[in-house]
Amino acid sequence: MKISVLMPCYNAEKFIRRSIESVLSQHSPEFELVIVDDGSIDNTAAIIAGYQDSRIRLLRLESNSGIVTALNAGLKVCRGSYIARMDADDICLEGRLAQQSDYLDSHADVVAVGSAVVNFNEAGHLVEIGYPTDHSNILLHLLLFERTLCHPSVMFRANVIEAGVRYQEKRSLCEDYDLWFQLSKIGRLANIERPLLKYFRGGTQSSVQHRALMLKQTRALLCHIWQQYEIDNIDLIVDYLMAQMDMSRQQREAARSAIIRSLSRLPHFTAVQVNEVLALKELRFCHRYKSGIARLFALNNYLWSVRKGRCRKVLFLWKVRSIARLGPDAL
């Protein structure tokens, strides 16, 4: 078996049919679709059972145990050499499985590959979201709590399970973020520039429903990660990385300086890379304020900092117009 597509679900009757069909329509090497029903109490299981397709394997949990338990249960039964993640409300685009498996076939040092995605919502608004493509930039974005890999777009090697990689229960609302750090310790990460997934931005996602707990767990993970840099002001840095609204300008500047000093000692990154990502973070930070002047200055600073060509900067400006429809994540 070449590929296992791992899809956890809970009360997903509204969307799961389109997700299943987008996987089954893939023209790729031999694959299976492992669906873990995490104790659904709606019509989800019946919809899945209605598919007479030998590629579908349904694992039903007796009660709702949460996504980490569901994912780890699914990992135990996956038979593929590669494991592709998929959520029950997202849509695989044509060629996703073939392109990602080909990428892993030809890049032996890469343990996981994601892709750009197309965000969409129930109103039908679409925004293409890009991600850093090379390992160095992905690792930098991980450290700075910026966009790295989109979890349901990722395909990774199954043998990382033998190396001890698991979804961690204590990181249940930032389990993907923790997983990228685990994977980065044993191999390289990558993203394909072409969108291979339509990513549903609805109001029922766990990150929306349990935002306070997610932020608490993410903060604990960031503190743990930054402890390796032996600096005294970790709390200040984490406040900055998580865009705490009550930070003063002086505190933000102090945090930026500490980050630059810490990361400039590492061989992986250049000062230009660090400044570019921090400029984008400032833009996200300022966008939360109602002041149009603050946003304008942040946008100007970002455009001067990035190394992209003129055309790509114009495209970025055009994409900023979509923020009102899909939120700051459109950046």
Side-chain angles (χ1 to χ4, degrees):
M1 181 71 65
K2 179 124 185 187
I3 302 169
S4 294
V5 180
L6 176 56
M7 179 193 294
C9 61
Y10 174 68
N11 290 348
E13 63 179 6
K14 187 176 180 180
F15 305 114
I16 194 168
R17 192 182 302 276
R18 72 185 184 194
S19 297
I20 291 174
E21 291 176 0
S22 75
V23 175
L24 297 181
S25 66
Q26 295 286 303
H27 299 289
S28 64
E30 181 183 8
F31 71 88
E32 63 179 0
L33 173 56
V34 177
I35 305 177
V36 184
D37 181 9
D38 190 19
S40 295
I41 56 176
D42 65 355
N43 203 37
T44 297
I47 292 173
I48 300 169
Y51 284 89
Q52 302 301 312
D53 193 310
S54 60
R55 293 173 294 179
I56 296 178
R57 297 174 62 206
L58 174 61
L59 174 62
R60 298 196 66 184
L61 304 184
E62 293 184 1
S63 60
N64 181 236
S65 303
I67 189 170
V68 169
T69 298
L71 285 170
N72 284 331
L75 289 177
K76 292 179 181 178
V77 302
C78 286
R79 299 175 297 186
S81 299
Y82 300 149
I83 297 174
R85 274 284 289 110
M86 181 73 184
D87 283 342
D89 53 4
D90 297 333
I91 301 172
C92 273
L93 296 178
E94 182 179 355
R96 177 202 168 178
L97 298 184
Q99 189 162 347
Q100 288 185 305
S101 62
D102 287 347
Y103 189 96
L104 290 176
D105 285 345
S106 58
H107 295 80
D109 58 339
V110 172
V111 294
V113 58
S115 75
V117 302
V118 177
N119 280 5
F120 73 105
N121 59 19
E122 291 183 338
H125 296 134
L126 303 174
V127 177
E128 183 175 324
I129 303 295
Y131 289 78
T133 55
D134 64 280
H135 178 73
S136 175
N137 265 327
I138 292 173
L139 185 59
L140 177 60
H141 280 65
L142 280 169
L143 288 171
L144 298 182
F145 193 42
E146 280 297 315
R147 183 178 295 130
T148 51
L149 299 99
C150 178
H151 193 187
S153 81
V154 168
M155 180 182 289
F156 58 91
R157 299 182 188 276
N159 60 14
V160 301
I161 307 303
E162 300 171 5
V165 172
R166 293 289 189 280
Y167 290 98
Q168 303 295 319
E169 189 63 48
K170 65 181 178 180
R171 313 291 188 199
S172 60
L173 291 173
C174 56
E175 72 284 343
D176 52 343
Y177 193 48
D178 177 65
L179 183 69
W180 312 146
F181 277 106
Q182 293 185 59
L183 290 172
S184 70
K185 294 177 181 179
I186 60 176
R188 298 177 69 83
L189 306 175
N191 276 305
I192 293 171
E193 191 170 0
R194 172 195 166 197
L196 297 177
L197 183 86
K198 289 182 70 175
Y199 183 48
F200 182 62
R201 303 291 296 184
T204 59
Q205 295 159 302
S206 61
S207 58
V208 175
Q209 294 178 323
H210 308 291
R211 182 169 177 79
L213 182 57
M214 179 191 70
L215 292 176
K216 180 180 179 180
Q217 293 184 357
T218 302
R219 183 182 184 86
L221 176 57
L222 280 169
C223 288
H224 172 73
I225 291 166
W226 275 87
Q227 284 175 356
Q228 64 184 297
Y229 297 102
E230 299 179 357
I231 52 179
D232 298 327
N233 48 357
I234 291 179
D235 285 336
L236 180 66
I237 287 177
V238 173
D239 282 345
Y240 176 79
L241 295 179
M242 299 186 69
Q244 293 298 310
M245 293 292 290
D246 57 351
M247 290 188 76
S248 67
R249 182 174 180 178
Q250 290 75 19
Q251 288 175 316
R252 295 208 311 274
E253 287 301 321
R256 280 173 59 94
S257 297
I259 290 170
I260 293 171
R261 284 197 305 272
S262 299
L263 298 185
S264 63
R265 298 197 296 262
L266 303 180
H268 315 297
F269 318 120
T270 66
V272 173
Q273 280 180 297
V274 176
N275 281 318
E276 183 174 323
V277 179
L278 290 178
L280 178 58
K281 181 168 287 293
E282 281 289 312
L283 178 56
R284 293 190 201 280
F285 190 96
C286 290
H287 188 78
R288 299 189 179 196
Y289 291 99
K290 295 181 179 179
S291 170
I293 295 177
R295 292 198 295 269
L296 183 61
F297 274 107
L299 178 59
N300 180 70
N301 183 49
Y302 172 73
L303 292 176
W304 274 103
S305 299
V306 295
R307 294 165 291 167
K308 299 175 182 176
R310 183 179 300 174
C311 290
R312 298 197 66 176
K313 290 182 180 181
V314 171
L315 287 173
F316 178 83
L317 285 170
W318 176 82
K319 189 166 65 174
V320 167
R321 296 174 57 198
S322 303
I323 295 173
R325 294 178 296 181
L326 284 171
D329 284 337
L331 289 172

